[in-house]
Amino acid sequence: SEVIKLDELIINHGFKIDLGPMKDWGLEIEEGRIKADRHMRTNLSGVFVAGDAAHYESKLRLIAGGFTEGPTAVNSAKAYLDPQAEQMAMYSTHHKKLVTQ
């Protein structure tokens, strides 16, 4: 064995997700979370999920995942509302309306 000197050790034993009234919406729940596909769509049309409340195959329960799930859910919601919408997220440095010349 090896001894490692540390200033601090932080252990997260997890937390309890409370879906509240959403449990009664008819959403498909798996492992206490809302089941989603790779587009963050749920089993209810027009309802999307991201972050700790989302569950899908091979999900890594890391905060970094939320940084991709959120924009994916937003882009999917936009496509749901406007099927002709562009499917790709835009970088602010490349978006015509956000770049001054």
Side-chain angles (χ1 to χ4, degrees), residues 86 90-101:
E86 188 172 348
M90 298 296 292
Y91 294 99
S92 60
T93 56
H94 295 87
H95 197 285
K96 292 177 190 175
K97 292 181 181 178
L98 300 176
V99 176
T100 58
Q101 298 178 346

Side-chain angles (χ1 to χ4, degrees), residues 33-73:
R33 291 169 165 73
I34 300 168
K35 191 171 179 182
D37 67 9
R38 66 186 185 95
H39 299 285
M40 307 315 297
R41 295 179 295 217
T42 69
N43 63 302
L44 299 181
S45 182
V47 177
F48 304 86
V49 65
D52 293 336
H55 176 76
Y56 51 87
E57 188 176 336
S58 301
K59 177 178 174 84
L60 294 175
R61 293 183 183 168
L62 299 172
I63 193 169
F67 289 114
T68 58
E69 292 170 4
T72 298

